[in-house]
Amino acid sequence: MIKPEAMAAGHAGKVLDMILSAGFRLVSLKYTRLSEAEAGKFYEVHKERGFYRELVEYMASGPVLAAILEKDNAVQDFRKLIGSTDPAEAAEGTIRKRFAESKAKNAVHGSDSDENAAIEGAFFFTTREQY
Ligand code: ADP
Ligand code: MG
């Protein structure tokens, strides 16, 4: 997912280009906006964390670009492409190093396991939107 601040800054095209150039195939793509209730559900695993409220408000603050991506070793390779959660710690050449504003507003989301990728994909897309 390309997060609201990166969308508002006009980075969507460049981020998508980096993703496709890295060998990921688009299975699904959607321009949409989460309600606070939806953002809260998407990030439910973090509900006990101090930053949860801020995270939910931020993720509902504007449109996002949601995608399902396919590649061998996709979860690990995508996390490598996006870089560390905190852009100050993200490696050169990563999406977060280039586009993230802060640890909270860090430009992109990536699933952390195949299991969660399936859950998060189903959150945004019906089976008829996955090719
Ligand atoms: P990642 O997105 O790298 O998997 P996490 O799953 O740990 O990172 O956190 C989810 C999201 O919550 C982060 O991408 C970021 O937007 C936000 N976040 C994480 N840690 C903090 C923090 N300490 N302060 C503010 N926001 C945070
Ligand atoms: Mg995470």
Side-chain angles (χ1 to χ4, degrees), residues 100-113:
E101 284 181 14
S102 64
K103 188 170 184 180
K105 297 183 176 178
N106 60 2
V108 280
H109 167 80
S111 303
D112 61 12
S113 64

Side-chain angles (χ1 to χ4, degrees), residues 36 46-47 49-58:
E36 287 198 14
H46 295 304
K47 67 173 178 288
R49 310 285 289 277
F51 59 79
Y52 179 69
R53 193 63 236 157
E54 175 196 352
L55 176 62
V56 167
E57 281 174 19
Y58 154 55

Side-chain angles (χ1 to χ4, degrees), residues 16-79:
L16 254 188
D17 184 40
M18 287 177 77
I19 292 168
L20 298 179
S21 297
F24 291 86
R25 191 182 77 78
L26 268 181
V27 174
S28 309
L29 185 65
K30 186 177 287 182
Y31 180 64
T32 186
R33 183 172 179 164
L34 298 173
S35 66
E36 287 198 14
E38 289 165 337
K41 177 144 183 55
F42 187 87
Y43 279 112
E44 208 163 27
V45 291
H46 295 304
K47 67 173 178 288
E48 305 305 331
R49 310 285 289 277
F51 59 79
Y52 179 69
R53 193 63 236 157
E54 175 196 352
L55 176 62
V56 167
E57 281 174 19
Y58 154 55
M59 289 304 298
S61 68
V64 299
L65 202 60
I68 298 177
L69 304 169
E70 189 174 81
K71 188 183 180 299
D72 288 343
N73 206 31
V75 166
Q76 206 181 329
D77 286 359
F78 192 72
R79 297 206 60 103

Side-chain angles (χ1 to χ4, degrees), residues 86-108:
D86 186 344
E89 290 164 16
E92 283 305 327
T94 61
I95 292 172
R96 282 170 167 167
K97 178 73 180 183
R98 192 164 166 202
F99 296 113
E101 284 181 14
S102 64
K103 188 170 184 180
K105 297 183 176 178
N106 60 2
V108 280

